[in-house]
Amino acid sequence: MVNAWATVQQVNNVTGVSVTVQQLAQAQDDIEIFSGRVYEDTPRIRTRDLYWLGRAVARQAAWAAGQFGLETRLDATQIQQDQVSSSLKDDGLVLAPMAARALRRVSWMRSRTVHIRSAVESASLPVGNPLSDSSDDSFVWAPTGGGP
């Protein structure tokens, strides 16, 4: 039994591709590398993230089963042979496209934004625009100083 976020049966159910235990172990290792998490951290990972990690492992296992020489490929972004060329995205030669999509749904792989309050925002402000004349009665007036 391999420690993986997906089983051989789940790979077959999700993708329709039969894989071996070794191929599943390789896919698990690939997803651990790309996700930055290891299987031993499973108890600390949220259920939703485990779902997407399982999908990523399943897709990677199915895709890798049909790839020749996956572990010995060169790192390339453009390939040209016999007057035919193709450009690949980052990791296009080593990560299944659907596995990459599943990994983008994992919480720590998404982009994050941080909201920084502006000078006119406050948790106690009433709803409305603090710069509007109609909201003047909602604020306490205080002199700003700097007089004569």
Side-chain angles (χ1 to χ4, degrees):
M1 182 75 176
V2 64
N3 289 334
W5 290 310
T7 64
V8 171
Q9 185 60 46
Q10 287 172 329
V11 173
N12 193 5
N13 292 346
V14 170
T15 65
V17 176
S18 296
V19 296
T20 65
V21 172
Q22 176 152 358
Q23 289 169 325
L24 182 65
Q26 289 172 334
Q28 173 69 26
D29 188 56
D30 292 345
I31 298 303
E32 285 179 359
I33 290 169
F34 281 98
S35 70
R37 297 292 189 274
V38 294
Y39 182 80
E40 288 74 23
D41 288 341
T42 298
R44 296 181 4 202
I45 300 174
R46 295 179 359 195
T47 305
R48 182 180 183 280
D49 291 334
L50 286 174
Y51 172 83
W52 290 114
L53 288 170
R55 290 292 188 251
V57 169
R59 297 294 179 165
Q60 181 69 14
W63 178 80
Q67 300 297 310
F68 174 74
L70 181 62
E71 298 301 323
T72 58
R73 289 185 178 168
L74 297 174
D75 188 13
T77 56
Q78 186 173 9
I79 299 171
Q80 184 172 359
Q81 182 177 352
D82 298 332
Q83 299 173 351
V84 176
S85 66
S86 63
S87 297
L88 302 170
K89 292 184 177 182
D90 293 341
D91 305 319
L93 289 173
V94 292
L95 186 64
M98 293 300 284
R101 290 186 81 138
L103 281 178
R104 283 193 294 270
R105 296 182 182 274
V106 175
S107 65
W108 62 86
M109 300 291 284
R110 291 182 293 206
S111 65
R112 295 173 179 88
T113 57
V114 177
H115 177 72
I116 300 173
R117 290 184 186 268
S118 69
V120 295
E121 285 182 299
S122 171
S124 62
L125 287 178
V127 177
N129 183 356
L131 300 177
S132 172
D133 291 339
S134 63
S135 63
D136 283 349
D137 293 336
S138 302
F139 300 100
V140 177
W141 183 87
T144 58

